[in-house]
Short mmCIF file of all heavy atoms in Angstrom, two decimals:
data_model
loop_
_atom_site.label_atom_id
_atom_site.label_comp_id
_atom_site.label_asym_id
_atom_site.label_seq_id
_atom_site.Cartn_x
_atom_site.Cartn_y
_atom_site.Cartn_z
N VAL A 913 133.85 -30.71 -56.16
CA VAL A 913 132.70 -30.05 -55.55
C VAL A 913 133.02 -29.75 -54.11
O VAL A 913 133.47 -30.61 -53.37
CB VAL A 913 131.45 -30.95 -55.65
CG1 VAL A 913 130.31 -30.36 -54.79
CG2 VAL A 913 131.02 -31.08 -57.08
N GLY A 914 132.80 -28.50 -53.70
CA GLY A 914 133.11 -28.12 -52.34
C GLY A 914 134.55 -27.68 -52.15
O GLY A 914 134.96 -27.33 -51.05
N ILE A 915 135.33 -27.68 -53.24
CA ILE A 915 136.71 -27.22 -53.12
C ILE A 915 136.76 -25.76 -53.55
O ILE A 915 136.32 -25.40 -54.63
CB ILE A 915 137.66 -28.04 -54.04
CG1 ILE A 915 137.61 -29.51 -53.69
CG2 ILE A 915 139.08 -27.52 -53.96
CD1 ILE A 915 138.14 -29.84 -52.34
N PHE A 916 137.30 -24.95 -52.69
CA PHE A 916 137.41 -23.52 -52.90
C PHE A 916 137.97 -23.18 -54.28
O PHE A 916 139.03 -23.68 -54.65
CB PHE A 916 138.33 -22.97 -51.80
CG PHE A 916 138.51 -21.50 -51.82
CD1 PHE A 916 137.42 -20.66 -51.66
CD2 PHE A 916 139.77 -20.97 -51.97
CE1 PHE A 916 137.59 -19.31 -51.67
CE2 PHE A 916 139.94 -19.60 -51.96
CZ PHE A 916 138.86 -18.77 -51.82
N GLN A 917 137.23 -22.39 -55.04
CA GLN A 917 137.67 -21.87 -56.34
C GLN A 917 137.78 -22.89 -57.48
O GLN A 917 137.99 -22.54 -58.59
CB GLN A 917 139.05 -21.17 -56.21
CG GLN A 917 139.06 -20.01 -55.24
CD GLN A 917 139.15 -18.68 -55.94
OE1 GLN A 917 139.92 -18.48 -56.84
NE2 GLN A 917 138.31 -17.76 -55.53
N TYR A 918 137.66 -24.16 -57.17
CA TYR A 918 137.80 -25.14 -58.24
C TYR A 918 136.53 -25.96 -58.47
O TYR A 918 136.57 -26.99 -59.08
CB TYR A 918 138.96 -26.12 -57.91
CG TYR A 918 140.30 -25.47 -58.01
CD1 TYR A 918 140.79 -24.70 -56.97
CD2 TYR A 918 141.09 -25.61 -59.13
CE1 TYR A 918 142.02 -24.08 -57.03
CE2 TYR A 918 142.33 -25.00 -59.21
CZ TYR A 918 142.78 -24.22 -58.16
OH TYR A 918 143.98 -23.61 -58.24
N GLU A 919 135.41 -25.49 -57.91
CA GLU A 919 134.27 -26.39 -57.91
C GLU A 919 133.33 -26.24 -59.08
O GLU A 919 132.41 -27.03 -59.23
CB GLU A 919 133.49 -26.28 -56.58
CG GLU A 919 132.97 -24.90 -56.26
CD GLU A 919 132.29 -24.88 -54.91
OE1 GLU A 919 131.76 -25.92 -54.52
OE2 GLU A 919 132.27 -23.85 -54.28
N SER A 920 133.54 -25.25 -59.93
CA SER A 920 132.58 -25.08 -61.02
C SER A 920 132.72 -26.25 -62.02
O SER A 920 133.79 -26.86 -62.13
CB SER A 920 132.85 -23.78 -61.75
OG SER A 920 134.11 -23.83 -62.34
N PRO A 921 131.63 -26.58 -62.70
CA PRO A 921 131.67 -27.72 -63.64
C PRO A 921 132.77 -27.53 -64.69
O PRO A 921 133.45 -28.48 -65.08
CB PRO A 921 130.30 -27.68 -64.29
CG PRO A 921 129.42 -26.91 -63.35
CD PRO A 921 130.31 -25.97 -62.64
N GLY A 922 132.95 -26.28 -65.14
CA GLY A 922 133.97 -26.02 -66.16
C GLY A 922 135.35 -26.36 -65.64
O GLY A 922 136.16 -27.02 -66.31
N MET A 923 135.59 -25.94 -64.41
CA MET A 923 136.89 -26.21 -63.81
C MET A 923 137.08 -27.72 -63.65
O MET A 923 138.17 -28.23 -63.88
CB MET A 923 136.93 -25.49 -62.45
CG MET A 923 138.29 -25.44 -61.83
SD MET A 923 139.51 -24.60 -62.88
CE MET A 923 140.39 -23.61 -61.69
N GLN A 924 136.00 -28.41 -63.26
CA GLN A 924 136.11 -29.86 -63.10
C GLN A 924 136.55 -30.53 -64.40
O GLN A 924 137.40 -31.39 -64.42
CB GLN A 924 134.75 -30.43 -62.68
CG GLN A 924 134.39 -30.10 -61.26
CD GLN A 924 133.02 -30.62 -60.91
OE1 GLN A 924 132.51 -31.55 -61.53
NE2 GLN A 924 132.40 -30.03 -59.90
N LYS A 925 135.95 -30.05 -65.47
CA LYS A 925 136.26 -30.64 -66.78
C LYS A 925 137.74 -30.43 -67.09
O LYS A 925 138.46 -31.35 -67.50
CB LYS A 925 135.37 -29.98 -67.83
CG LYS A 925 135.29 -30.76 -69.14
CD LYS A 925 134.49 -29.99 -70.17
CE LYS A 925 135.44 -29.24 -71.05
NZ LYS A 925 134.85 -28.12 -71.75
#
Side-chain angles (χ1 to χ4, degrees):
Chain A
V913 170
I915 301 294
F916 182 60
Q917 300 253 315
Y918 289 81
E919 58 183 331
S920 65
M923 192 58 138
Q924 288 177 22
K925 198 185 95 201

